[in-house]
Amino acid sequence: MRKLLQTINPRQFEISLSYLATYLGIPPDCILRFEQWAQVLFVHRKDRGGQFISYRNLIHWLEACVQTIRSCETHQALQEFGQQLKTEIERFTYAPDAIAYLRRLWQQRKAQLDLDLNLRSFYNP
C-alpha cells in the first residue's frame, strides 16, 4: 500500500516565513531560514537553534488532503486514498476536527461519485 507521503509531496507546499512565524508564535525575525526536507520542515531559529515541524501539523497538509479527495475521479481512487488517510490517522496525531472534516469530505465525494454513476447508467442504459 502506498503511503500518503507518496501521494502528497510536501516539498511542493508554498510555505511562507510569516506563516511559520505565526504557527510557531514567534516574530518573523526570529527565523533565520527554513528547509523543506522529505519528511519534516527544519526551521533555523535565532533564539534556540533548529526546530523540526511535521508537515502533518501545517494547514498546507490538510489543504493537500482536501484537494486530493476532491480530485479523485473514480470510486477506486477515492477508496485507495481513504485507506491511506485511515492508516495515516491511526499512525500520527491529527486534530479531531480535522479528522471529522476529512471524513465528511470523503463521504460527500463518495456520494457525488455514486450520483454521477447512477446518472450515467440512467441516461446510458
Side-chain angles (χ1 to χ4, degrees):
M1 177 187 305
R2 290 175 35 155
K3 294 181 182 178
L4 201 53
L5 268 174
Q6 293 172 319
T7 302
I8 297 173
N9 182 359
R11 289 186 182 195
Q12 294 178 345
F13 293 168
E14 293 183 21
I15 301 170
S16 69
L17 190 124
S18 60
Y19 170 79
L20 279 178
T22 302
Y23 174 80
L24 294 170
I26 60 174
D29 62 346
C30 277
I31 299 175
L32 296 171
R33 69 181 189 282
F34 63 93
E35 300 172 19
Q36 290 181 256
W37 293 359
Q39 305 284 331
V40 294
L41 194 65
F42 186 69
V43 181
H44 298 265
R45 295 175 55 159
K46 286 182 185 175
D47 59 344
R48 65 179 220 191
Q51 180 176 359
F52 292 101
I53 300 173
S54 172
Y55 287 116
R56 292 167 179 88
N57 295 332
L58 304 178
I59 192 68
H60 301 75
W61 184 266
L62 183 61
E63 290 171 350
C65 289
V66 167
Q67 185 58 38
T68 303
I69 290 171
R70 289 183 176 157
S71 66
C72 287
E73 294 185 8
T74 65
H75 283 88
Q76 181 179 350
L78 184 64
Q79 191 66 35
E80 287 173 4
F81 186 71
Q83 192 60 43
Q84 290 175 7
L85 270 177
K86 181 181 177 193
T87 302
E88 182 81 7
I89 288 168
E90 290 170 352
R91 185 169 178 210
F92 298 100
T93 303
Y94 279 77
D97 58 334
I99 295 170
Y101 178 69
L102 290 171
R103 282 188 177 141
R104 212 170 32 252
L105 189 64
W106 187 93
Q107 291 167 345
Q108 289 172 354
R109 184 63 185 146
K110 183 180 180 312
Q112 183 63 51
L113 289 172
D114 291 344
L115 181 62
D116 292 349
L117 184 63
N118 288 338
L119 287 174
R120 276 196 307 270
S121 65
F122 178 76
Y123 287 111
N124 299 320

